[in-house]
Amino acid sequence: MKRRILVTSALPYINGSIHLGNMLEHIQTDIWVRFQKLRGHECLYVCADDTHGTGTMLHAEQAGVPPEALIEAMRQEHMRDFAGFGIEHDNYHSTHSEENRALSELIFERLREQGGIFTRDVAQLSDPERGLFLADRFVKGDCPRCGAADQYGDNCDACGATYDATELGRPRSLVSGAEPLVRQSEHYFFDLPQFSDMLKAWTRSGAVQPEVANKLAEWLDEGLKPWDISRDAPYFGFLIPGTKDKYFYVWMDAPVGYMASFKNLADARGDLDFDAFWKAGADTELHHFIGKDIVNFHALFWPAVLEASGFRKPTRIHTHGFVTVEGAKMSKSRGTLIKASTYLEHLNPEYLRYYFATKLNGTVDDYDINFEDFVQRVNADLVGKVVNIASRCAGFITRNFDGELSPELANEALWRRFVEASESIAERYEAGQVSRAVREITALADLANQYIAEREPWKLVKQEGALAEVQAVCSLGLNLFRILAIYLTPILPALSQAVSTFLNVGPLRWSDIDQPLLGGRINAYKALLTRMEKKQADRLVEASKEQPEAPLADAAGENDGEQALIAIEDFAKVRLKVARIASAEAVPAADKLLRLQLDLGDGHRQVMAGIKSAYDPASLIDRLVVVVANLAPRKMRFGTSEGMILAAGPGGEDIFLLSPDAGATPGMDVK
């Protein structure tokens, strides 16, 4: 029976670039979605950027751009990164959209009508210099339990305790550095406890993994608390209806972004019914893929909100663990917080898709990237086993038979064994046990290679009268390879497309597994994948050290990597000067860098600028730019950079150098 399925990944926060931690989830989701489509089901995959919160407001303020401009620039960047890894969203939207505003207000009104909303005063920390209430991630101080210094306002990394920010000792604002004040404010709450019985039943219904259900049971047994769904102005988000200075907390409207992205897609297409996927009792499926750090939002708060507002609950929430690199948390200083865009400059994205696939097991275990293992698995499995079958057989067919395959199967029992594995492999994909599917696929590849090795077509071709057997052996090998390529299509879409071209057939389809290629003509073989070298991975890590990123901490707490904030005092230390570009040249070994010699009036400095895609070096000579003049020199692989020129834009060809006012001269301070 054909299923109708809507799938989402957790919404990336816009205050940071996509890194390999984000990519795990989107690759995991994309594999599952592609599998469903390959099996003939209607499966739609939507996502969006999570945009609201104090972090966005401050980030845009520091960048000197409207929040909307920042949001759209980051959305375009995120979409490019996902596309680079073959992630096929049917729609990628934004939570700062009219669809999201309308749906958030509708849900709020329904919750209020059902008696699920109330107000009460709360004590909050407030920044006295900026006049804004501080989210937990914008406050640090001493842990009230163990006394550890420099802990965030919600939990302690040293002892694991959770607490309210008002309990911190010696608190300080990460926005201004000032000591916060405690202020009272009226907040809106969602009465989550009244849904405890429903949630106890729903979390044991198979909607979440057993280990997740056990964790949720701990919270449910302790007793749920009302959920604060509002924040005070100034705040970047949606105003709560009927108020002038109260906004929906980001975790109120962020999950509504799933609905809003689908609504945007449905309105654009015209053939999708929003209610068919979202109304209570809908016979379609809804699947969320998320990290284990946000399971309480998605498996307690979100189902209760949907239940209370008359919408359907998720069919299943697929929860995964974190990504570590070489056994440790991702780190910018070690070069292991690797941006998706940096990876794409060094390695084939299909390698990472495959490596993650070898680890995905349907549990909440963490997944470690070990580069020695990474290289070995790609070379041994993909190149040495799977692709090796095609490279061993194709030449004999094209050289001796003009590319024509045998009209018969040389060993139908072996071929049938490959075909009959389809249901077992499909069950693994369906359950999210992709690593087990991969093990079954590579075990079949071993059988195919063993068959070819035993028949030795390279010897048969030299024997008189044995050409027909050579054609039969190699044709069977290519038929077995085609089945393997179909099984791997959800994981390796680019390889699948290349295989369909090589075999001179249409797109690979699951329904064609039991239809052998007999008597057809293949195209000349071209390398489908090449071996991966460890030095490529080493260069990737080194390049990641050269491109540190320090995004603002987000109030929703969705960024997986290390986070850093600067205070106003730190920002005031930055000294901007006018500089004249005395010379400019491309760095041949770098994809993005130009080497600039800048005249600051009191001497020349060398600056490495990542603007090669936007500017011809010759056009920059004598141009005036704004430069951070007191930036510490940074030793890079291509030389030392002694400053930073200021530019804006989403990247690629759209990078715009900031120009000083008319009449400016080199060395002049910029205010």
Side-chain angles (χ1 to χ4, degrees):
M1 183 179 70
K2 185 174 182 178
R3 296 155 61 188
R4 304 186 72 200
I5 311 168
L6 176 60
V7 181
T8 76
S9 297
L11 312 183
Y13 201 61
I14 61 102
N15 275 350
S17 296
I18 300 300
H19 53 70
L20 298 196
N22 306 122
M23 287 310 313
L24 167 74
E25 179 170 291
H26 284 258
I27 288 173
Q28 177 192 25
T29 314
D30 189 71
I31 289 172
W32 198 82
V33 168
R34 286 180 180 273
F35 165 72
Q36 301 298 343
K37 291 180 177 179
L38 197 62
R39 294 278 281 180
H41 302 304
E42 179 185 6
C43 190
L44 299 164
Y45 180 15
V46 301
C47 196
D49 272 346
D50 182 7
T51 62
H52 290 156
T54 307
T56 302
M57 180 180 70
L58 295 175
H59 194 170
E61 179 183 300
Q62 292 175 0
V65 298
E68 292 79 5
L70 174 68
I71 287 169
E72 183 56 22
M74 292 304 297
R75 190 177 78 91
Q76 293 296 329
E77 177 188 312
H78 290 176
M79 289 172 65
R80 283 195 300 271
D81 287 346
F82 287 133
F85 280 87
I87 308 300
E88 277 194 346
H89 300 108
D90 289 280
N91 195 46
Y92 195 88
H93 203 36
S94 166
T95 59
H96 193 63
S97 66
E98 286 308 310
E99 296 93 346
N100 203 24
R101 183 194 304 275
L103 285 165
S104 296
E105 291 178 355
L106 172 65
I107 288 173
F108 177 77
E109 293 295 351
R110 288 184 178 180
L111 296 180
R112 185 152 58 182
E113 290 170 3
Q114 296 296 321
I117 300 293
F118 66 89
T119 62
R120 73 178 182 206
D121 287 348
V122 299
Q124 285 182 281
L125 293 182
S126 172
D127 188 310
E129 294 187 9
R130 293 299 310 274
L132 55 81
F133 286 101
L134 296 168
D136 295 338
R137 303 299 288 180
F138 291 103
V139 185
K140 275 192 171 182
D142 298 343
C143 171
R145 306 292 187 268
C146 72
D150 209 34
Q151 301 302 311
Y152 282 113
D154 52 358
N155 66 278
C156 176
D157 287 337
C159 71
T162 58
Y163 42 75
D164 292 328
T166 53
E167 299 178 70
L168 283 173
R170 298 187 302 162
R172 74 180 189 281
S173 166
L174 297 183
V175 178
S176 71
E179 181 180 351
L181 302 176
V182 178
R183 290 174 51 196
Q184 295 286 328
S185 176
E186 182 183 60
H187 274 221
Y188 286 78
F189 286 81
F190 172 57
D191 192 8
L192 185 61
Q194 66 176 274
F195 298 93
S196 294
D197 290 342
M198 180 276 290
L199 289 170
K200 287 179 180 178
W202 181 78
T203 55
R204 292 296 186 184
S205 68
V208 298
Q209 294 120 298
E211 61 268 40
V212 174
N214 292 338
K215 180 60 181 179
L216 295 171
E218 295 178 15
W219 290 323
L220 287 163
D221 291 344
E222 288 177 4
L224 299 176
K225 298 178 181 179
W227 205 292
D228 190 340
I229 62 168
S230 68
R231 291 295 183 266
D232 294 278
Y235 190 82
F236 182 69
F238 295 143
L239 270 174
I240 295 178
T243 73
K244 295 182 179 179
D245 60 354
K246 306 292 181 183
Y247 290 80
F248 287 125
Y249 174 43
V250 60
W251 271 112
M252 177 63 190
D253 63 54
V256 180
Y258 301 136
M259 304 172 72
S261 185
F262 181 77
K263 182 70 165 60
N264 179 261
L265 175 65
D267 290 346
R269 281 186 34 169
D271 62 339
L272 292 173
D273 181 3
F274 178 84
D275 287 341
F277 285 85
W278 284 104
K279 71 177 180 181
D283 60 0
T284 54
E285 298 178 35
L286 173 63
H287 293 257
H288 294 314
F289 285 77
I290 64 166
K292 61 184 178 183
D293 56 329
I294 52 175
V295 70
N296 55 338
F297 296 102
H298 283 80
L300 295 176
F301 173 70
W302 180 230
V305 166
L306 291 168
E307 174 85 2
S309 57
F311 291 106
R312 58 94 44 78
K313 296 186 291 295
T315 306
R316 185 167 174 81
I317 295 176
H318 307 249
T319 305
H320 63 80
F322 299 136
V323 173
T324 59
V325 180
E326 305 290 0
K329 182 180 178 181
M330 292 185 294
S331 163
K332 291 189 291 292
S333 62
R334 292 191 298 270
T336 56
L337 181 60
I338 299 171
K339 291 168 56 176
S341 58
T342 307
Y343 178 99
L344 292 171
E345 293 173 358
H346 291 82
L347 292 172
N348 186 332
E350 298 263 289
Y351 294 164
L352 187 70
R353 290 182 66 104
Y354 180 77
Y355 188 61
F356 278 156
T358 67
K359 294 177 172 292
L360 293 170
N361 57 16
T363 74
V364 297
D365 294 341
D366 292 342
Y367 303 107
D368 186 56
I369 299 176
N370 176 282
F371 286 110
E372 293 282 356
D373 181 49
F374 190 0
V375 173
Q376 193 275 335
R377 291 205 187 208
V378 167
N379 292 342
D381 294 356
L382 279 186
V383 181
K385 292 183 179 181
V386 178
V387 172
N388 186 52
I389 299 168
S391 64
R392 294 175 91 181
C393 296
F396 293 108
I397 298 297
T398 53
R399 286 193 301 270
N400 299 284
F401 308 101
D402 193 27
E404 186 173 327
L405 298 172
S406 173
E408 299 177 347
L409 291 172
N411 187 329
E412 189 166 347
L414 179 59
W415 176 80
R416 180 59 57 186
R417 184 170 179 178
F418 275 58
V419 172
E420 290 175 349
S422 65
E423 287 310 307
S424 173
I425 291 172
E427 289 174 5
R428 305 305 184 203
Y429 273 122
E430 180 67 40
Q433 299 168 346
V434 184
S435 59
R436 296 183 67 178
V438 168
R439 285 198 294 274
E440 291 191 33
I441 294 167
T442 53
L444 291 173
D446 285 335
L447 290 178
N449 280 296
Q450 180 182 343
Y451 169 79
I452 297 166
E454 290 173 351
R455 299 303 182 276
E456 298 181 314
W458 46 90
K459 291 185 178 180
L460 289 174
V461 76
K462 299 176 183 178
Q463 298 176 14
E464 187 175 350
L467 274 182
E469 186 177 354
V470 171
Q471 184 184 30
V473 169
C474 293
S475 294
L476 177 60
L478 292 175
N479 268 284
L480 300 180
F481 170 70
R482 171 173 168 264
I483 294 175
L484 297 177
I486 293 173
Y487 290 151
L488 287 169
T489 290
I491 300 169
L492 303 170
L495 176 65
S496 177
Q497 187 174 10
V499 170
S500 69
T501 300
F502 158 57
L503 294 179
N504 200 25
V505 296
L508 303 185
R509 300 183 301 181
W510 201 279
S511 58
D512 292 337
I513 286 172
D514 62 353
Q515 303 297 315
L517 299 178
L518 301 176
R521 181 169 274 103
I522 65 171
N523 292 314
Y525 178 80
K526 297 179 181 178
L528 297 171
L529 283 174
T530 58
R531 290 177 59 83
M532 180 181 172
E533 301 294 335
K534 178 60 164 58
K535 61 184 179 182
Q536 294 174 282
D538 294 339
R539 285 197 293 265
L540 170 61
V541 172
E542 191 62 30
S544 298
K545 292 179 184 177
E546 295 168 1
Q547 300 175 31
E549 180 181 15
L552 286 172
D554 58 277
E558 285 195 83
N559 287 348
D560 293 329
E562 294 181 0
Q563 300 169 337
L565 288 167
I566 62 170
I568 292 296
E569 289 82 356
D570 297 317
F571 192 71
K573 297 175 184 177
V574 176
R575 188 176 183 186
L576 303 179
K577 281 184 171 291
V578 176
R580 179 182 66 86
I581 300 177
S583 68
E585 62 179 3
V587 178
D591 293 333
K592 296 182 178 181
L593 293 180
L594 295 182
R595 180 181 284 108
L596 307 179
Q597 293 294 330
L598 302 182
D599 173 12
L600 275 75
D602 58 355
H604 285 71
R605 297 189 193 179
Q606 175 175 274
V607 169
M608 301 293 184
I611 59 174
K612 181 188 286 188
S613 60
Y615 290 94
D616 174 15
S619 70
L620 295 173
I621 306 301
D622 289 330
R623 178 165 179 167
L624 296 181
V625 293
V626 178
V627 62
V628 179
N630 60 337
L631 190 67
R634 182 170 55 142
K635 188 175 181 180
M636 302 175 67
R637 182 153 52 101
F638 310 108
T640 300
S641 186
E642 302 171 297
M644 177 187 294
I645 59 172
L646 299 190
E653 297 181 357
D654 296 323
I655 299 175
F656 308 102
L657 293 175
L658 271 64
S659 299
D661 294 336
T665 58
M668 180 181 293
D669 288 331
V670 178
K671 301 297 184 183

